[in-house]
Amino acid sequence: MQIDIITIFPEYFREAFDFGIIRRACAAGLVNIRAHDLRAWTSDKHHVVDDRPFGGGDGMVFKPEPIFAAVKSLTGASRRESMAAGKRVLLLSPQGRQFTQAVAADLAVSEQLILICGRYEGVDERVADALVTDEISIGDYVLSGGEPAALVVIDAMVRLLPGALGSETSAANESFSAGLLDCPQYTRPPDFEGIRAPEVLLTGNHAEIARWRRESSMEKTKRNRPDLLK
Ligand code: ADE
């Protein structure tokens, strides 16, 4: 998979992919991630990427031209309709649809992903209208830019690429994959300052342990995320 990030802060991503599962996935050639400076696609002397909003108002808006030019040079297409199958153009914005594990799994089968990181007051809406295939929000809060959201999306997705996790089954057993939160985990010591790990986990009775895990997943989901059970 090829991942291209379009940002005015490419340095933000400098070491972001140098750790853990993402680093291994890159090293194994499962994914190639590059961060590009949006200013490289400006044609004026001062490399201006933003301008005042039509109609007035606070702040600045990202101009369409550099973004369309960037996506054209990275994908060969400058309209959503002419984007090759397998290429997706994401705009990270608080106006997007909610990013979930299901969206991560859907994106993980792409050949190439472009992530456009917005900034300031927003991005000229013609980008969302004519270029972007998926406008995505990572949650109902406003970040100062799309960069942290791009990191979140890439991390959640790359770990789903076949071969990225140590064992092929580990992604199937974790939170959200069955619509529930993952069950609690414990390790040694069995007694930490009088707080004991559940005895059933120490018995070696696999059927009982599986039952305990199902029940505690359900309890934890009820307590922390009742919305998942509706
Ligand atoms: N940019 C600013 N806020 C955002 C959010 N919640 N999700 C994605 N991109 C954003």
Side-chain angles (χ1 to χ4, degrees):
M1 176 188 284
Q2 174 66 39
I3 299 179
D4 294 286
I5 305 163
I6 301 172
T7 171
I8 56 166
F9 298 130
E11 288 289 288
Y12 181 91
F13 297 94
R14 199 169 42 178
E15 294 178 359
F17 307 115
D18 287 352
F19 304 92
I21 290 168
I22 309 299
R23 180 199 180 97
R24 269 197 282 125
C26 293
L30 302 178
V31 62
N32 180 43
I33 309 174
R34 286 183 304 178
H36 307 271
D37 190 343
L38 177 61
R39 294 183 200 281
W41 285 282
T42 53
S43 45
D44 62 304
K45 189 167 95 192
H46 298 290
H47 303 291
V48 174
V49 292
D50 57 355
D51 208 336
R52 288 179 315 230
F54 280 147
D58 290 337
M60 300 291 269
V61 176
F62 269 174
K63 295 157 63 61
E65 303 95 318
I67 298 178
F68 276 79
V71 173
K72 168 90 184 179
S73 80
L74 294 168
T75 66
S78 54
R79 291 290 184 276
R80 177 171 46 242
E81 303 78 60
S82 43
M83 207 57 66
K87 295 182 194 260
R88 308 269 287 263
V89 181
L90 277 50
L91 174 63
L92 287 319
S93 100
Q95 288 79 42
R97 76 183 159 114
Q98 169 80 48
F99 186 62
T100 61
Q101 190 68 24
V103 175
D106 177 43
L107 293 175
V109 300
S110 314
E111 255 164 55
Q112 183 183 18
L113 283 183
I114 310 291
L115 288 91
I116 303 168
C117 303
R119 272 270 145 180
Y120 311 135
E121 264 34 59
V123 175
D124 188 290
E125 191 67 14
R126 286 167 286 193
V127 170
D129 282 346
L131 186 59
V132 158
T133 62
D134 305 84
E135 186 170 2
I136 288 179
S137 165
I138 62 161
D140 291 342
Y141 38 79
V142 181
L143 303 168
S144 50
E147 284 79 6
L151 284 186
V152 167
V153 168
I154 291 169
D155 188 289
M157 202 190 51
V158 167
R159 56 193 297 291
L160 297 179
L161 297 178
L165 298 181
S167 117
E168 288 292 331
T169 57
S170 23
N173 291 329
E174 61 194 17
S175 283
F176 309 112
S177 52
L180 294 179
L181 301 182
D182 204 356
C183 66
Q185 302 284 1
Y186 297 83
T187 186
R188 287 184 289 182
D191 186 316
F192 169 70
E193 298 182 357
I195 316 172
R196 290 196 60 78
E199 296 302 329
V200 58
L201 299 179
L202 310 173
T203 61
N205 182 331
H206 296 297
E208 279 302 306
I209 291 171
R211 196 163 71 98
W212 180 88
R213 287 184 165 156
R214 275 195 306 277
E215 286 171 4
S216 49
S217 267
M218 183 57 81
E219 272 168 35
K220 186 133 191 172
T221 308
K222 264 187 207 153
R223 181 155 32 96
N224 286 351
R225 292 294 307 277
D227 56 296
L228 292 177
L229 297 171
K230 287 198 196 110

